[in-house]
Amino acid sequence: MFSLVNIALDMNYKRIEYWAGLGFLALAVFMLAKENYWDAALYISAGMAFSLNGLLKENVFPEARKLLVILAWLFIGLTLFLFLFLLRTDK
């Protein structure tokens, strides 16, 4: 039987961060098309945070690990700040 649950269970768990990051970046493009720049910034920062965490988990760039950790935490903090800002200012 073909279902989304089977696809999710068969998916390689190393790649799940990349798919989440790609989903957030796709939402960012959609929000940019709707000219909603604050939401687009939120989705871009979340997508970058997920993608960088995927790179860290796979240890793709071992010589730049410290820089990737710093960038990932900056994007996580930016995502949190933008989320709380948008939560406060959204009508």
Side-chain angles (χ1 to χ4, degrees), residues 18 52 55-56 58-68:
Y18 298 123
L52 286 173
L55 289 175
L56 285 168
E58 289 188 23
N59 203 16
V60 176
F61 301 110
E63 64 277 354
R65 184 168 177 81
K66 184 182 258 187
L67 177 65
L68 289 177

Side-chain angles (χ1 to χ4, degrees), residues 11-12 15-24:
M11 184 185 295
N12 189 352
R15 305 278 185 213
I16 197 82
E17 285 90 4
Y18 298 123
W19 285 108
L22 186 65
F24 277 119

Side-chain angles (χ1 to χ4, degrees), residues 2-71:
F2 183 78
S3 70
L4 291 177
V5 175
N6 289 338
I7 292 172
L9 291 176
D10 292 338
M11 184 185 295
N12 189 352
Y13 287 107
K14 290 181 182 177
R15 305 278 185 213
I16 197 82
E17 285 90 4
Y18 298 123
W19 285 108
L22 186 65
F24 277 119
L25 291 175
L27 279 172
V29 170
F30 177 71
M31 288 296 161
L32 284 172
K34 288 179 57 177
E35 297 181 359
N36 194 343
Y37 300 114
W38 284 107
D39 287 346
L42 172 70
Y43 292 131
I44 288 170
S45 62
M48 291 300 296
F50 272 103
S51 299
L52 286 173
N53 278 329
L55 289 175
L56 285 168
K57 189 180 278 188
E58 289 188 23
N59 203 16
V60 176
F61 301 110
E63 64 277 354
R65 184 168 177 81
K66 184 182 258 187
L67 177 65
L68 289 177
V69 168
I70 291 169
L71 285 175

